[in-house]
Structure formats: C-alpha cells, structure tokens
Amino acid sequence: VKGGDATGGKFAVTSVVLTTSHSGSCASGKYTIQAAITTNGAGEVTYYWIRSDGATDTEDHDPLVFTAAGTKTVSTEWDTSATGLWMDIYIDAPNHQQFKRALLNCP
C-alpha cells in the first residue's frame, strides 16, 4: 500500500475507537459495533472482524480509501441473546494488527 503523511512517513492506521449499542431485549437482541478508523495519510485500509465465539468475518469488505489523513467508520452486527461477549477489529492492511476489543454486555 502506497501513501503516507506529508512528512514522508509510512501510511498507517494510527487509532481505532470502538463503540457498541444493543437493541431489542436481552433474550433476543442485537449488538451493533462501530469502528472509527483513523489514518495518518492517503492510502487503502482492509479489515475484518473477529468474534469471541471463534468466528472470523468472511464478508468481502470493500477497502476504505483515504485521500488524506482522517477517520472513516465501519460497522457490523451480531444477533445473539448472550452477554459477556467481545468483538475485535483486525486491520489487515497496512498495519497487520488487531487493534481493539469491544465488550458486549446486555444493558
């Protein structure tokens, strides 16, 4: 992946902020997880989600295209009645790094 900041640094995701919400009842609800992904410059970011039940995201997400440093938000949902779960986002390119963990607890 080419790109970078104005100082010639290598293009990278510099932070990820996760937020979660829950809808429905605790017996039959749905979690929505959002990830605000921030980069230091222009480039493409690819990612996937990892769940605490061992499942890995198999969706083919379009790359996030950044024309300059900034933040873009992606989201996913998990229909489950369980609580005490977690969801991670893995930044495949450019970082090859698991960034954050969202804890999922029914209110």
Side-chain angles (χ1 to χ4, degrees), residues 4 9 43 46-47 51 93:
T46 58
Y47 66 94
R51 299 184 342 188

Side-chain angles (χ1 to χ4, degrees), residues 61-75:
H61 302 283
D62 290 333
L64 295 176
V65 178
F66 289 82
T67 56
T71 302
K72 294 186 182 241
T73 301
V74 296
S75 65

